[in-house]
Amino acid sequence: MKKILTMVMMMTIAISAAAMPYTAARNEALFLSDKMAYELGLTATQYEAVYEINLDYLLNLDTRADVFGFWWDVRNRDLRYVLSTWQYDRFMASEWFYRPVIWTSTAVPQCS
């Protein structure tokens, strides 16, 4: 139930057609990082790094190709260095964390 409620909340947030505005990206990065901290047991240091990584990723989404393109690869590579082995394995196994953004139309990305 908690997952469904979280997903519904995230899917109701519409994002502009161009790069995500800073405030929207910040809010989404905070939400995603908080969820990762809870489910992956992040330390304070890991949390700060994960937040910055998620924020950078979200701020660089300009086109549909960016969702799972270069910036997605950068995000996952950076998270590999921040998370422990078991945390990264759990991260990879979770669609929610591993693929946090969907592109629902030709011009509207949304956090899933």
Side-chain angles (χ1 to χ4, degrees):
M1 181 66 160
K2 192 176 187 181
K3 275 187 173 179
I4 293 170
L5 184 61
T6 302
M7 289 180 68
V8 168
M9 183 177 82
M10 293 302 294
M11 294 190 82
T12 60
I13 300 172
I15 300 166
S16 69
M20 196 180 284
Y22 179 78
T23 54
R26 185 192 64 201
N27 290 339
E28 296 297 336
L30 283 170
F31 183 83
L32 181 59
S33 300
D34 286 346
K35 185 106 170 108
M36 290 174 75
Y38 176 76
E39 294 197 19
L40 301 177
L42 302 180
T43 65
T45 305
Q46 285 177 315
Y47 178 86
E48 290 298 321
V50 165
Y51 167 73
E52 290 295 328
I53 293 166
N54 286 327
L55 182 61
D56 287 344
Y57 169 66
L58 293 171
L59 287 173
N60 285 295
L61 296 179
D62 287 323
T63 66
R64 183 181 198 106
D66 291 335
V67 173
F68 301 120
F70 174 76
W71 293 107
W72 183 66
D73 290 336
V74 169
R75 173 184 178 258
N76 292 336
R77 184 190 66 225
D78 290 348
L79 287 172
R80 180 68 190 107
Y81 291 110
V82 172
L83 302 175
S84 68
T85 302
W86 75 266
Q87 287 171 323
Y88 190 75
D89 289 344
R90 193 159 177 202
F91 160 79
M92 295 278 292
S94 172
E95 189 76 14
W96 169 254
F97 297 142
Y98 188 59
R99 298 183 185 272
V101 177
I102 57 173
W103 199 279
T104 57
S105 72
T106 58
V108 182
Q110 291 182 339
C111 291
S112 60

